[in-house]
Amino acid sequence: MKNLRLLLFLLAAAVTANAQQKLLNYKIDTAIRHFMKSAKAPGVAVAVVKNGKVMYVQTYGVSNLELGTPVTRNTVFELASLTKQFTSALIITLAHEGKISLDDKLVKYIPNAPKGWEPITIRQLLGHMAGLALAFEPKTDGSYLLNYSRELMLKGAMETPMLSAPGLHWKYSDEGYFLAGYALEKATGRNFDTLMIDRIFKPIGMKHTRFLSQNDIIPNRAEGYIVDKNGNYKHNRRQWQFELTPHFGVMSTIDDMILYEQSLVRGDVITPAVLKEATAPYRVFSDNNDGQYAYGLGWQLYNKGPRHVAEHAGYTGTVYIRDLTSGISVILLTNRDANAGPSPILLAHHLSHIVDPGFPDINLH
């Protein structure tokens, strides 16, 4: 009789858990489809992971409107500025190994640097506190060039006026991350891309993750789109080729990003000490009853009560949120420009709240 009661209890628990999972799946699916309709997002790949266990993974829509190809778990999206967390993790890892120091001065690696760069440290570059501009690439008649060598990019950075003295003000800066990657190459004597692949991507098993190349044939690549003021799709013409892209160049799939998240949970490639340093508040923007909002090194941070949330987004419509308290992470990859229309960031927050009602209901963007 006791065995029968136990069996009935286990069956009832399994039925309840299955019903709860179906309801969760329905809520996530409904939210994503509503976003795609309102934001006119052609394609979406999404994953929800808790403490390394996949709770939900699904793909929607098309990766290429001209060909009508569906988004799959092997579709390769441009991560854009999600790249910065990889760059930060790589540099901090090598700093822990003594290959470079976050307190090194940038001018140690760049002879004949502008005088205003003399106080800049690698840490300030990663934390957007170096006083540098967002964009720095030379243009012709306001348009990007077709190809940018390292030397041309460095020349453009040197000729771009500083916005403030280093350490004085926070300013999101692609220029800073380019220079951090450039300094790492000089410190190690290695190509930044291959260093990242050897130290981060390969050990994690991210076989479909790579750096953007406009010349290469990239199987399953998602085309990027914008939506104009009349609601029509246009190509997101990010067709220029940069030789060094620590600020925006990583491309990946939803399955590879799941592997990355699971590796972060294990701490086997990017160690807990490295992740802790990257997600520690470096520049605090506000600290009040609504919580602390800050930037670390490659991560935006929000602390409220016991919750510690790290996140970042990319211009191409990508978002990665990690609730370091609950262990729930949401990875959202889209192929629609994030600068207009409903925000992919708010969708990712909403999905986090669906999975965990205790997730802070924040709107920082």
Side-chain angles (χ1 to χ4, degrees):
M1 182 65 72
K2 288 183 178 179
N3 289 340
L4 179 59
R5 289 195 188 116
L6 177 60
L7 179 60
L8 291 173
F9 172 79
L10 292 175
L11 285 172
V15 169
T16 299
N18 186 52
Q20 290 175 339
Q21 184 63 51
K22 285 184 176 180
L23 179 59
L24 178 67
N25 292 351
Y26 171 78
K27 289 181 177 179
I28 293 174
D29 184 79
T30 300
I32 293 170
R33 292 184 186 280
H34 175 74
F35 166 81
M36 292 181 69
K37 183 177 180 179
S38 60
K40 293 181 70 70
V44 168
V46 64
V48 180
V49 184
K50 182 173 183 180
N51 296 322
K53 181 179 179 181
V54 178
M55 300 177 66
Y56 186 92
V57 58
Q58 191 58 266
T59 60
Y60 301 81
V62 296
S63 63
N64 188 299
L65 290 172
E66 292 172 314
L67 301 177
T69 49
V71 174
T72 72
R73 291 170 66 165
N74 288 325
T75 297
V76 179
F77 290 85
E78 290 187 41
L79 300 188
S81 283
L82 289 193
T83 297
K84 291 182 173 69
Q85 65 182 264
F86 291 105
T87 297
S88 174
L90 178 63
I91 292 177
I92 296 172
T93 294
L94 294 179
H96 286 195
E97 296 175 0
K99 307 287 197 311
I100 193 172
S101 171
L102 298 190
D103 296 319
D104 280 347
K105 293 294 199 302
L106 173 62
V107 294
K108 176 180 179 180
Y109 304 105
I110 302 179
N112 304 314
K115 185 173 180 58
W117 288 10
E118 290 180 0
I120 295 176
T121 65
I122 304 301
R123 189 186 309 274
Q124 288 174 334
L125 295 174
L126 298 180
H128 300 299
M129 288 291 292
L132 301 175
L134 169 60
F136 64 100
E137 306 86 353
K139 296 181 180 180
T140 299
D141 294 331
S143 296
Y144 286 102
L145 308 180
L146 189 60
N147 291 290
Y148 288 91
S149 66
R150 283 173 175 76
E151 291 73 22
L152 182 58
M153 295 171 74
L154 180 61
K155 181 175 182 292
M158 287 182 168
E159 293 175 351
T160 299
M162 297 183 65
L163 301 181
S164 68
L168 189 60
H169 297 296
W170 187 90
K171 175 65 178 178
Y172 190 82
S173 175
D174 281 351
E175 180 183 358
Y177 265 74
F178 162 75
L179 291 172
Y182 187 92
L184 186 66
E185 289 193 331
K186 295 299 181 182
T188 62
R190 293 198 58 190
N191 175 278
F192 179 84
D193 294 11
T194 57
L195 191 57
M196 179 74 77
I197 291 167
D198 290 345
R199 295 302 306 269
I200 305 293
F201 299 158
K202 279 187 177 179
I204 292 175
M206 301 170 72
K207 296 179 180 179
H208 302 289
T209 302
R210 53 166 297 146
F211 280 86
L212 174 65
S213 171
Q214 301 292 1
N215 297 318
D216 291 354
I217 302 300
I218 303 174
N220 304 311
R221 178 178 179 177
E223 180 67 39
Y225 298 96
I226 62 174
V227 179
D228 68 18
K229 61 182 180 181
N230 297 316
N232 299 315
Y233 288 115
K234 302 290 184 183
H235 285 290
N236 190 356
R237 296 181 59 188
R238 294 163 59 90
Q239 297 169 339
W240 46 87
Q241 178 60 41
F242 293 89
E243 194 174 29
L244 176 61
T245 55
H247 46 312
F248 77 88
V250 174
M251 307 179 73
S252 191
T253 67
I254 195 67
D255 276 357
D256 271 13
M257 291 300 292
I258 290 172
L259 292 176
Y260 173 65
E261 166 63 23
Q262 291 171 331
S263 178
L264 290 183
V265 172
R266 294 191 304 269
D268 53 358
V269 176
I270 297 172
T271 67
V274 169
L275 186 61
K276 182 178 180 180
E277 187 163 2
T279 57
Y282 179 54
R283 170 62 164 90
V284 176
F285 303 115
S286 63
D287 195 354
N288 50 46
N289 292 334
D290 292 328
Q292 183 190 77
Y293 178 42
Y295 197 90
L297 304 179
W299 291 91
Q300 292 171 304
L301 307 170
Y302 186 76
N303 298 327
K304 186 170 185 179
R307 299 278 179 154
H308 181 28
V309 178
E311 67 174 43
H312 215 289
Y315 162 80
T316 49
T318 57
V319 189
Y320 187 15
I321 296 179
R322 304 191 78 235
D323 186 338
L324 304 182
T325 307
S326 71
I328 292 174
S329 295
V330 172
I331 306 163
L332 179 66
L333 309 179
T334 84
N335 56 347
R336 196 224 70 181
D337 159 30
N339 286 351
S343 168
I345 300 174
L346 296 185
L347 171 62
H349 285 175
H350 182 53
L351 296 180
S352 300
H353 187 70
I354 288 174
V355 177
D356 176 10
F359 183 85
D361 184 16
I362 55 178
N363 182 356
L364 302 175
H365 310 277

